[in-house]
Amino acid sequence: MALARAQRDADYQKTVELVNRFTISTVQFLNRFAALCEEKLHTANRSLQSMEIQVKLLEVKLDSTEDSDEENPAPKPSSSPKPSAVAGPAQPLAITNAGAAVTRQPPPPPGFKPPGKA
């Protein structure tokens, strides 16, 4: 009986040791995995920030070229004027501030009726 009890205790100790080893190895794996994921997210975040900066710079360059194109329009070939060209701009002009730049607003969606007008 004492021998059976000693055997059970030894088996129990082995089981506890195996569970502890498994727990330790699993926690170590998860810690390494989390560190690797965090590093990759940090790298992706830096790349995304760099791309955002590059896009903003390109937008500024594009805006500056559009502004210079408006100041110095390219000469159009001499041909008879089309009725739409004579009628004026297709979109309404809106003045944002007195003395500020004139901007074009997009046309209203089809079927849109402004408030107060029937």
Side-chain angles (χ1 to χ4, degrees):
M1 187 146 159
L3 187 59
R5 184 177 176 100
Q7 183 64 33
R8 271 193 310 220
D9 288 344
D11 289 344
Y12 178 76
Q13 288 291 20
K14 246 185 188 176
T15 303
V16 168
E17 184 179 338
L18 288 173
V19 169
N20 284 342
R21 282 185 187 174
F22 172 76
T23 303
I24 289 169
S25 68
T26 302
V27 167
Q28 288 173 341
F29 166 76
L30 290 173
N31 284 337
R32 284 191 306 266
F33 181 74
L36 180 66
C37 289
E38 189 172 332
E39 180 184 337
K40 287 187 177 190
L41 280 172
H42 189 279
T43 301
N45 186 32
R46 281 187 303 184
S47 296
L48 185 59
Q49 286 176 343
S50 174
M51 283 189 268
E52 286 176 349
I53 290 169
Q54 289 175 353
V55 165
K56 287 183 190 226
L57 289 172
L58 289 173
E59 286 175 345
V60 168
K61 283 183 179 180
L62 182 62
D63 287 343
S64 70
T65 58
E66 286 176 354
D67 291 343
S68 67
D69 286 347
E70 288 175 5
E71 292 172 3
N72 302 321
K76 295 183 180 179
S78 59
S79 64
S80 62
K82 296 180 183 174
S84 63
V86 174
Q91 299 173 339
L93 296 178
I95 299 176
T96 55
N97 288 330
V102 176
T103 59
R104 294 187 184 268
Q105 293 182 346
F112 175 77
K113 292 187 172 124
K117 295 183 179 178

